[in-house]
C-alpha cells in the first residue's frame, strides 16, 4: 500500500508493505550517497543492518533506548558522528526505530548543515501509526518534552509491519492508542476494528488496516495544515490532559513507574468524549487492549502542569472534544473549567 503526503513543498511517499525494509534501495533514493543509519539498542540490530547492507557507503550509529536519549547530549553525539563520517549536504540520514529515534534523527537531519535528507523507517506501532509522518521532529530539555525541534518532512517513510513481531506487547498496545484516537476523531470504520478486537478476533490480525487507516486520517489533516495553525489541532485530542498526566507521572523509560505516551493520551481522551455511551464503548476497547482506563495520579498536580503548559498565555485554553464517533470540535474554555474535566470540583 502506498500513500502520498501532498504538501505545498516536499511531498513524499509512505510505503506500507511487509518486508519493505529489504527494498529500501528500490524505494528511496540512496544511490551513491553516504547513509547514516540511526537506531537504538532496544531494537534488534538486524533491522538497521538490513538497511545499511543495501547502501554502498553506510554507517550504523546506535543510541541508548528510551526517552532519555531525546536530549541535547545525545543530539550532539549524533551530529558529531555524522561529521566524523564525512556527511555532506547531499547525504542522507535513515532512522530505524520508534518515535525516539525518529524524532531525534529527524531533528539531526533538519539541523545538520542546515538540513539534509531524512528517511524514516519506523519500527514501533506508535511510530508506524503516528509519529513517522507529519514532519514534527524534536528533542526534550530535561523533562520538558519536545521543546526544541523543527518541522522537517522526510523524503520517504517505509513502514514494515513485520518488524512489530519483536516489539514488547506493552509498547505495541501503547501505539494503538494513537490509532484509537484517529478512529474517534475521524474514522468510525477504524473504531469498528477495535470493537471487533473485543468480540471477534485480535486486533493483530487487522494491524495493516489499523496502520493504513490511521495514516490516512493523519495525512488528510496534515495536508490541510502542515504547521499546526488550524485543523491539525484535532490530532491533539487526548493530549491536553494526557501531557499533564505524562509530566506528573513521568515518561516510562525515564521514570520507573511512569506511563508511556499512548497510555497517557488514552487516559486524556476519556474526559473529552461528550457522548456517555461512546465513553463506555471506548473504555471497553481500552480494557480489551490492555490500555489503562484509570490511573492514580495527583489531579491537582496535573492541573498545575496544564496551567504551566499554557505558560501564562491568557486564562482560556483550547481543548479538542469528540461530541460523537468520527467528529471533533475545538472548544475554547476558561482555565477554571479544567478541574471539572478532570472530575474535580470547579475552582472558585
Ligand atoms: N513526531 C511526532 O509527531 C510524534 C508523535 C507522537 C509521539 N512522538 C514521540 O515518540 C516517542 C515515543 O515513541 P515510541 O513509543 O515508539 O517509543 P520508543 O522510540 O522509545 O520505542 C519504544 C521501545 O521499543 C523498542 N523498539 C522499537 N521498535 C522495536 C521493535 N521493532 N522490536 C523491539 N523493540 C523495539 C525501543 O528500543 C524502545 O525501547 C516520544 O518521544 C514522543 O514524544 C512523536
Amino acid at each position: 500500500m502506498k500513500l502520498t503526503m501532498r504538501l505545498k513543498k516536499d511531498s513524499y511517499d509512505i510505503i506500507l508493505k511487509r518486508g519493505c525494509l529489504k527494498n529500501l534501495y528500490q524505494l528511496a533514493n540512496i544511490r551513491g550517497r553516504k547513509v547514516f543509519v540511526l537506531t537504538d539498542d532496544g531494537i534488534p540490530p538486524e533491522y538497521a543492518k538490513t538497511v545499511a547492507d543495501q547502501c554502498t557507503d553506510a554507517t550504523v550509529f546506535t543510541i541508548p533506548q528510551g526517552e532519555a536519549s531525546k536530549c541535547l547530549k545525545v543530539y550532539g553525539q549524533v551530529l558529531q558522528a555524522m561529521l566524523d563520517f564525512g556527511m555532506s549536504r547531499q547525504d542522507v540520514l535513515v532512522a530505524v526505530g520508534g518515535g525516539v529515534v525518529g524524532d531525534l534523527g529527524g531533528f539531526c537531519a533538519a539541523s545538520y548543515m542546515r538540513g539534509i535528507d531524512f528517511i524514516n523507517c519506523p519500527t514501533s506501532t506508535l511510530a508506524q501509526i503516528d509519529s513517522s509522518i507529519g514532519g514534527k521532529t524534536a528533542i526534550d530539555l530535561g523533562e520538558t518534552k519536545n521543546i526544541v525541534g523543527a518541522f522537517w518532512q522526510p523524503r520517504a517513510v517505509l513502514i514494515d509491519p513485520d518488524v512489530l513481531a519483536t516489539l514488547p506487547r506493552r509498547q505495541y498496545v501503547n501505539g494503538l492508542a494513537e490509532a484509537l484516537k484517529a478512529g474517534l476523531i475521524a474514522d468510525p470504520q477504524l473504531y469498528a476494528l477495535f470493537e471487533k478486537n473485543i468480540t471477534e478476533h485480535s486486533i493483530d490480525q487487522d494491524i495493516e488496516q489499523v496502520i493504513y487507516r490511521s495514516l490516512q486520517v493523519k495525512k488528510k489533516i496534515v495536508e490541510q495544515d502542515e504547521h499546526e495553525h488550524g485543523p491539525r489541532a484535532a490530532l491533539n485530542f487526548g493530549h491536553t490532559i494526557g501531557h499533564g498526566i505524562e509530566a506528573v507521572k513521568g515518561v516510562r523509560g525515564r521514570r520507573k513507574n511512569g506511563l508511556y505516551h499512548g497510555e497517557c493520551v488514552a487516559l486524556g481522551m476519556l474526559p473529552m468524549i461528550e457522548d456517555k455511551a461512546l465513553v463506555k464503548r471506548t473504555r471497553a476497547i481500552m480494557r480489551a487492549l490492555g490500555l489503562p482506563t484509570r490511573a492514580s495520579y495527583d489531579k491537582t498536580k496535573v492541573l498545575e502542569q496544564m496551567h504551566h503548559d499554557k505558560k501564562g498565555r491568557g486564562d482560556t485554553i483550547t481543548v479538542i472534544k469528540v461530541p460523537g464517533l468520527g467528529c471533533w470540535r475545538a472548544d475554547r474554555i476558561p482555565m477554571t473549567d479544567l478541574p471539572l474535566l478532570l472530575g474535580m470540583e470547579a475552582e472558585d
Side-chain angles (χ1 to χ4, degrees):
M1 287 184 263
K2 185 172 109 174
L3 286 163
T4 303
M5 178 72 84
R6 296 191 195 285
L7 302 172
K8 285 190 194 91
K9 184 173 154 272
D10 300 334
S11 294
Y12 56 93
D13 287 340
I14 303 155
I15 312 289
L16 168 59
K17 194 169 184 290
R18 290 198 177 270
C20 69
L21 215 54
K22 297 191 191 87
N23 301 118
L24 179 93
Y25 186 79
Q26 287 81 24
L27 296 168
N29 175 17
I30 53 169
R31 259 152 263 191
R33 309 168 87 182
K34 275 183 186 284
V35 179
F36 188 93
V37 184
L38 186 70
T39 192
D40 77 38
D41 61 9
I43 297 154
E46 59 264 30
Y47 302 153
K49 187 172 181 305
T50 299
V51 167
D53 285 352
Q54 297 169 60
C55 314
T56 42
D57 190 6
T59 189
V60 175
F61 191 81
T62 306
I63 58 169
Q65 64 182 304
E67 183 70 27
S69 278
K70 265 176 65 173
C71 66
L72 279 174
K73 184 173 160 213
V74 178
Y75 169 67
Q77 288 167 347
V78 176
L79 293 179
Q80 186 62 53
M82 290 167 75
L83 183 62
D84 295 345
F85 183 50
M87 301 273 288
S88 73
R89 288 191 79 174
Q90 280 66 50
D91 296 324
V92 55
L93 186 149
V94 182
V96 180
V100 165
V101 170
D103 278 13
L104 172 71
F107 187 48
C108 290
S111 47
Y112 184 79
M113 291 186 148
R114 300 192 185 88
I116 64 164
D117 282 358
F118 171 50
I119 296 170
N120 207 342
C121 302
T123 63
S124 66
T125 41
L126 185 129
Q128 296 197 346
I129 280 165
D130 184 45
S131 69
S132 62
I133 73 161
K136 280 190 180 178
T137 73
I139 57 170
D140 310 332
L141 276 188
E143 293 214 5
T144 309
K145 274 182 61 93
N146 302 328
I147 194 76
V148 180
F151 281 100
W152 194 249
Q153 299 292 345
R155 289 285 172 196
V157 180
L158 267 66
I159 301 176
D160 181 349
D162 278 349
V163 302
L164 298 178
T166 52
L167 189 68
R169 190 69 197 173
R170 184 164 170 187
Q171 290 287 358
Y172 184 90
V173 168
N174 169 57
L176 293 179
E178 294 281 4
L180 184 58
K181 175 195 83 177
L184 276 162
I185 59 172
D187 185 350
Q189 277 175 270
L190 173 55
Y191 189 86
L193 293 177
F194 283 101
E195 289 202 306
K196 271 195 190 163
N197 180 58
I198 308 176
T199 51
E200 287 180 37
H201 60 247
S202 161
I203 194 84
D204 300 15
Q205 291 177 38
D206 293 321
I207 193 66
E208 275 158 279
Q209 271 303 309
V210 168
I211 297 169
Y212 185 72
R213 297 199 79 97
S214 307
L215 292 173
Q216 270 185 321
V217 169
K218 182 154 180 183
K219 168 181 135 61
K220 218 169 147 189
I221 292 174
V222 171
E223 281 175 346
Q224 287 172 54
D225 178 19
E226 189 179 341
H227 295 119
E228 201 170 319
H229 297 306
R232 189 163 176 166
L235 297 172
N236 289 335
F237 172 56
H239 285 66
T240 312
I241 294 178
H243 279 153
I245 298 172
E246 204 170 346
V248 170
K249 292 287 285 182
V251 181
R252 204 174 165 85
R254 249 189 213 287
R255 236 184 271 172
K256 204 159 161 252
N257 293 320
L259 290 171
Y260 289 124
H261 177 78
E263 295 173 339
C264 296
V265 170
L267 288 167
M269 288 192 302
L270 290 171
M272 298 297 181
I273 303 173
E274 291 181 323
D275 175 354
K276 293 287 168 265
L278 188 60
V279 175
K280 213 170 152 203
R281 284 165 67 189
T282 307
R283 260 189 214 285
I285 287 174
M286 285 164 55
R287 262 196 303 271
L289 285 173
L291 281 169
T293 55
R294 287 191 173 80
S296 57
Y297 56 83
D298 185 332
K299 289 182 178 173
T300 311
K301 281 198 177 148
V302 170
L303 203 59
E304 276 166 22
Q305 184 60 42
M306 288 162 79
H307 276 276
H308 177 260
D309 284 350
K310 284 274 298 167
K311 297 173 189 76
R313 279 176 277 133
D315 46 15
T316 58
I317 185 169
T318 302
V319 295
I320 307 300
K321 291 201 177 150
V322 162
L325 182 55
C327 48
W328 62 276
R329 189 184 71 238
D331 256 7
R332 203 159 180 76
I333 60 165
M335 291 297 281
T336 46
D337 281 2
L338 281 178
L340 283 175
L341 285 173
L342 284 170
M344 300 162 78
E345 295 297 314
E347 284 178 337
D348 291 333

